[in-house]
Amino acid sequence: MPHLPSGPARVHARGWGWRHAGRKAFAVSGVDLDIAPGERVLLLGASGAGKSTLLHALAGVLGAAEEGEEQGELTVDGVPAPAARGRAGLVLQDPDGQIAMARVGDEVAFGCENLAVPRDEIWPRVHRALDDVGLDVPIDRSTAALSGGQKQRLALACILAMAPGLVLLDEPTANLDPEGVEEVREAVRRSVDRTGATLVVVEHRVSVWAELVDRVVVLSGEGGLLADGSPERVLGDADVRRRLAAAGVWVPGWHPLTGELTPSALRDTSSQDDDPQAELLSAQGLAVGRSPKTPPVVGGIDLVLRAGRAASVTGPNGAGKSTLALTLAGLLPAVGGRLEALPALARGAGTSPHRWRSSELVSRIGTVFQEPEHQFLTPRVLDELEFGPRRVARRPEKEVRALVDGLLERLRLERLAEANPFTLSGGEKRRLSVATMLATDPSLLVLDEPTFGQDALTWAELVRLLAELLEQGTSLLAVTHDEDFTNALSDTVYRVDGGRAARVEAVA
């Protein structure tokens, strides 16, 4: 391994840009940027503006020449970023993409071992990093058994244990519960305070990080920078705030649906109790788990999902929310109690969704996984959207084209129709995963963190689209930590915690 400098890293970019192979447009271009050693930067921009691409480039993992075209200059400590590998630690948007080991402790130790950290230093670093991020699990816990939020904490612990000179975080709190968001932010604060490392963090929700950073840099979707300065100057200037809001940045004190800080519900649900909708799915004493051979993770679940109604499932990371959602979606068998598809949903397919054929399931219940990549099947965005209505629903070609074109436009994916789904940004992948399910026109949509990675404009468009589906009679169940999403759409909230799920409030 070449000798690398120690201490905080310096970043320099001049006219830098990158175009992914197979794309006509550059993912990011015209970036002029200098980041001083020890500086703490919040990197903002619309979904698809190139934030993740820039972080990958700084980490030296963007790819070789055959994987894309580079413009301009990008250096870390005065050398091209690929030559400075080891100086930067990157937490990816998708933590699954960077987990290599089978056990938690080994995963955190892995990076330190690759950096030749002395053996007697490694395990103290492992335990300190796990404590810092609040991942309270045994070090021999299987990494595959962790929830999405726990995997995010693990990925951050791995980076912090390596003590890099440049810490790069891509949406590090996106799938965390509110308590977890604070824990992770404070873990990052403690780490950079202790090491003096340079920090660049990408996050759509500005308020989480504004008080920790020295500087806010906003990428323009048209190339270059939209804004650059202190948090007070960038977020406090009225003209700049308007430009940022128009570009889709989550500006504190402004909401994309109403322009107000705290919007009212998007839908009027006040009279719905007087106008009952058809019951679709009923659970009585339901117990759920990843396998019938292991103890349930959540039990005693009683709920009814109705046409035209939306329910949110909340609770801490690792409590079993995704397991409950997958069971209600028919993708996991119930491990106890009763789960029954009622006639308005079953439509002759039987009362147990888990026993339905795949063609029966996808046309009745659409599932959006927490990790979008887990449901992509084809090499093109366009093919991905056409797959369900053409091969499952057997819709006429003219109908398929109209449906797909409408979804591409509504969810701002038109320019990506020919792109490989796996090359999209995190927010674009999420919108595509939602769109693929909408294309099959199911009666019930089960969504796991549906607003992950969205800028303010794409968030608002997605929420409006789901509200329209509710008005048309579709039922929604969303696992989410997004309070704005719940306030805008949900009639009912179920909290999963301590092995139980309880209805905690009706949203007015």
Side-chain angles (χ1 to χ4, degrees):
M1 179 181 294
H3 175 71
L4 296 173
S6 59
R10 178 183 297 278
V11 171
H12 169 81
R14 282 296 175 272
W16 186 81
W18 177 265
R19 181 180 62 82
H20 295 286
R23 299 276 192 93
K24 294 181 179 179
F26 273 73
V28 58
S29 63
V31 174
D32 294 325
L33 183 64
D34 287 288
I35 301 176
E39 199 166 15
R40 304 174 182 185
V41 176
L42 176 60
L43 182 63
L44 304 176
S47 177
K51 304 181 295 298
S52 296
T53 301
L54 178 55
L55 290 196
H56 282 74
L58 289 171
V61 296
L62 193 53
E66 64 271 14
E67 297 181 56
E69 177 188 350
E70 187 173 23
Q71 288 180 336
E73 179 185 22
L74 182 68
T75 64
V76 176
D77 291 326
V79 300
R85 287 176 186 162
R87 284 290 282 149
L90 170 64
V91 175
L92 300 172
Q93 270 187 344
D94 174 19
D96 271 331
Q98 66 188 93
I99 293 177
M101 307 299 286
R103 298 187 300 181
V104 166
D106 295 337
E107 179 68 21
V108 182
F110 183 69
C112 297
E113 292 168 347
N114 277 280
L115 292 177
V117 173
R119 181 176 297 180
D120 60 353
E121 291 184 25
I122 291 178
W123 286 99
R125 288 195 188 194
V126 168
H127 289 289
R128 182 171 66 186
L130 290 170
D131 287 342
D132 276 349
V133 302
L135 185 55
D136 185 18
V137 300
I139 60 172
D140 62 353
R141 173 69 61 84
S142 167
T143 54
L146 301 179
S147 71
Q150 290 172 321
K151 288 176 181 177
Q152 280 187 299
R153 295 182 192 226
L154 175 61
L156 178 59
C158 294
I159 297 306
L160 297 184
M162 294 164 61
L166 176 60
V167 177
L168 306 169
L169 307 179
D170 198 351
E171 301 273 5
T173 65
N175 288 335
L176 297 182
D177 56 68
E179 181 179 345
V181 169
E182 293 186 12
E183 287 180 353
V184 164
R185 183 193 59 214
E186 292 309 305
V188 173
R189 186 197 301 273
R190 288 191 295 272
S191 177
V192 295
D193 282 348
R194 183 168 58 241
T195 65
T198 306
L199 172 69
V200 181
V201 57
V202 168
E203 188 76 72
H204 279 292
R205 301 303 179 110
V206 176
S207 57
V208 173
W209 296 93
E211 65 176 62
L212 187 148
V213 300
D214 313 308
R215 180 177 173 191
V216 176
V217 174
V218 186
L219 291 182
S220 170
E222 306 302 318
L225 304 183
L226 187 61
D228 183 2
S230 68
E232 294 77 17
R233 189 175 74 82
V234 173
L235 302 176
D237 182 275
D239 289 337
V240 176
R241 284 168 59 86
R242 280 193 290 270
R243 290 203 305 272
L244 297 184
V249 174
W250 284 92
V251 177
W254 181 89
H255 195 279
L257 288 177
T258 64
E260 301 168 357
L261 178 59
T262 306
S264 57
L266 186 62
R267 301 166 56 243
D268 180 9
T269 62
S270 59
S271 63
Q272 287 192 347
D273 287 338
D274 299 324
D275 183 23
Q277 303 293 307
E279 294 183 352
L280 300 181
L281 194 66
S282 172
Q284 296 178 344
L286 178 66
V288 301
R290 291 286 173 167
S291 168
K293 298 179 181 180
T294 59
V297 295
V298 187
I301 303 161
D302 297 311
L303 58 80
V304 176
L305 301 181
R306 293 180 171 86
R309 302 291 188 92
S312 286
V313 178
T314 68
N317 292 114
K321 302 184 300 297
S322 294
T323 303
L324 171 58
L326 291 172
T327 305
L328 295 174
L331 298 175
L332 288 175
V335 299
R338 184 179 180 185
L339 179 64
E340 181 182 7
L342 299 165
L345 177 65
R347 303 198 299 274
T351 61
S352 175
H354 186 64
R355 295 179 180 175
W356 293 346
R357 297 190 303 271
S358 58
S359 59
E360 293 174 327
L361 185 62
V362 75
S363 60
R364 291 164 174 79
I365 304 176
T367 304
V368 174
F369 298 126
Q370 192 173 74
E371 296 85 9
E373 295 89 348
H374 289 185
Q375 64 193 89
F376 294 156
L377 302 170
T378 72
R380 284 198 316 167
V381 167
L382 189 62
D383 296 335
E384 199 69 38
L385 286 170
E386 292 178 347
F387 187 91
R390 178 174 289 153
R391 299 196 187 184
V392 179
R394 307 289 184 185
R395 290 191 174 195
E397 183 64 23
K398 185 177 180 181
E399 207 173 294
V400 171
R401 293 301 311 156
L403 174 64
V404 167
D405 288 346
L407 288 170
L408 286 170
E409 180 181 0
R410 288 292 300 269
L411 296 177
R412 301 189 180 212
L413 296 170
E414 304 116 302
R415 65 183 179 84
L416 300 169
E418 299 296 323
N420 188 310
F422 293 94
T423 68
L424 305 185
S425 74
E428 290 164 347
K429 288 177 182 176
R430 167 54 74 220
R431 297 203 300 283
L432 176 58
S433 67
V434 172
T436 59
M437 290 298 100
L438 298 182
T440 64
D441 195 25
S443 300
L444 168 62
L445 267 175
V446 177
L447 310 135
D448 200 341
E449 299 293 353
T451 58
F452 164 73
Q454 299 312 302
D455 65 42
L457 298 181
T458 57
W459 182 95
E461 194 58 48
L462 179 58
V463 168
R464 290 190 185 101
L465 181 55
L466 294 175
E468 291 174 12
L469 293 177
L470 288 168
E471 294 300 323
Q472 295 164 14
T474 303
S475 177
L476 303 180
L477 180 125
V479 173
T480 183
H481 296 300
D482 185 345
E483 292 183 1
D484 289 329
F485 179 88
T486 294
N487 290 336
L489 291 179
S490 294
D491 310 288
T492 307
V493 178
Y494 295 93
R495 180 172 175 81
V496 177
D497 197 2
R500 309 291 291 181
R503 177 172 171 162
V504 293
E505 62 179 293
V507 180

